Amino acid sequence: GESVGLHLPTLSVQEGDNSIINCAYSNSASDYFIWYKQESGKGPQFIIDIRSNMDKRQGQRVTVLLNKTVKHLSLQIAATQPGDSAVYFCAEATNFGNEKLTFGTGTRLTIIP
Amino acid sequence: DTEVTQTPKHLVMGMTNKKSLKCEQHMGHRAMYWYKQKAKKPPELMFVYSYEKLSINESVPSRFSPECPNSSLLNLHLHALQPEDSALYLCASSQGPWDTIYFGEGSWLTVV
């Protein structure tokens, strides 16, 4: 079946360095992708989104890249801080809007001081 | 303001109990959602309400009963749950089906 998956379950990055979290998706009909950050004991927090008519979108310290050819998206976090430590999920919207978000398995990002 | 408020934060209930989880948003959002998240797993969709009507039920067992009393409130009524139903239950809302979904902090449910 269709799925949204992540390449790495864990990632450790030195404070101040940049981090890249990857996500693969298999539903070629998906046209909306979202990155969420979930800290321990909290609900998912929206970070950034991108639609399939774009290749790149930037936010504050974050950039999402979408490669539709290989069905891959990534989240880049610049100058990581201790507060960036969390689990990051990519999510994929199905055909009829994002009512049916499908989440990937998540990557735990740990920032090393 | 992108706040979705869930109560209670923690709930312990027996398998014969009846309890409810509550969710509230005052952002004027017209779509509200219930997700279930087990430990170390991604959230899984349970129900979607759009304009106060149930639009999606992801084959959730009938021991979970959603209710949308008005556009700001969403309840999840719980009855005869099993220990495997213990999880974090997340409420979310969005302006519409194509808009960003914002999550609450969740209600931690333990069934004993």
Side-chain angles (χ1 to χ4, degrees):
Chain A
E2 304 288 358
S3 66
V4 178
L6 294 172
H7 294 308
L8 295 172
T10 61
L11 178 65
S12 295
V13 175
Q14 202 74 34
E15 182 179 354
D17 287 351
N18 299 335
S19 66
I20 300 176
I21 302 171
N22 296 303
C23 181
Y25 66 96
S26 56
N27 185 353
S28 57
S30 295
D31 58 4
Y32 181 53
F33 304 89
I34 310 164
W35 282 100
Y36 284 94
K37 171 187 179 183
Q38 187 171 27
E39 297 176 85
S40 181
K42 296 188 176 183
Q45 176 187 356
F46 171 84
I47 302 174
I48 193 168
D49 58 3
I50 188 167
R51 298 196 183 273
S52 59
N53 60 350
M54 302 173 70
D55 297 321
K56 178 180 180 179
R57 192 166 188 217
Q58 290 184 289
Q60 188 176 10
R61 285 200 305 118
V62 295
T63 300
V64 56
L65 299 178
L66 176 63
N67 186 329
K68 296 179 287 293
T69 302
V70 295
K71 300 192 187 74
H72 179 271
L73 68 158
S74 65
L75 177 69
Q76 301 178 1
I77 305 175
T80 54
Q81 304 168 358
D84 294 329
S85 292
V87 176
Y88 289 82
F89 292 102
C90 64
E92 166 193 18
T94 54
N95 296 341
F96 300 101
N98 64 355
E99 285 188 333
K100 293 191 69 172
L101 273 183
T102 300
F103 281 79
T105 53
T107 293
R108 178 171 297 281
L109 175 65
T110 301
I111 306 304
I112 304 167
Chain B
D1 184 10
T2 56
E3 187 171 311
V4 176
T5 304
Q6 292 187 241
T7 57
K9 193 166 181 62
H10 298 274
L11 177 64
V12 180
M13 61 183 292
M15 289 187 284
T16 59
N17 290 160
K18 283 186 180 181
K19 297 287 184 182
S20 297
L21 304 180
K22 297 184 183 299
C23 176
E24 189 170 5
Q25 58 87 12
H26 294 289
M27 297 177 280
H29 288 178
R30 307 307 300 188
M32 296 187 76
Y33 312 77
W34 280 115
Y35 279 80
K36 174 182 178 180
Q37 186 176 25
K38 300 284 281 185
K40 299 183 180 181
K41 296 289 186 181
E44 295 179 343
L45 181 65
M46 299 175 71
F47 302 104
V48 179
Y49 272 82
S50 182
Y51 292 89
E52 301 170 43
K53 295 190 187 302
L54 183 65
S55 60
I56 296 175
N57 177 343
E58 290 287 274
S59 302
V60 179
S62 60
R63 58 185 184 269
F64 295 92
S65 176
E67 178 197 18
C68 189
N70 60 56
S71 59
S72 300
L73 296 174
L74 186 65
N75 299 322
L76 186 63
H77 302 299
L78 314 170
H79 175 53
L81 296 192
Q82 302 297 311
E84 57 264 30
D85 295 322
S86 299
L88 177 66
Y89 287 84
L90 294 161
C91 176
S93 70
S94 65
Q95 183 66 36
W98 286 101
D99 297 300
T100 304
I101 294 179
Y102 296 97
F103 285 83
E105 297 290 15
S107 292
W108 290 92
L109 174 66
T110 302
V111 181
V112 297

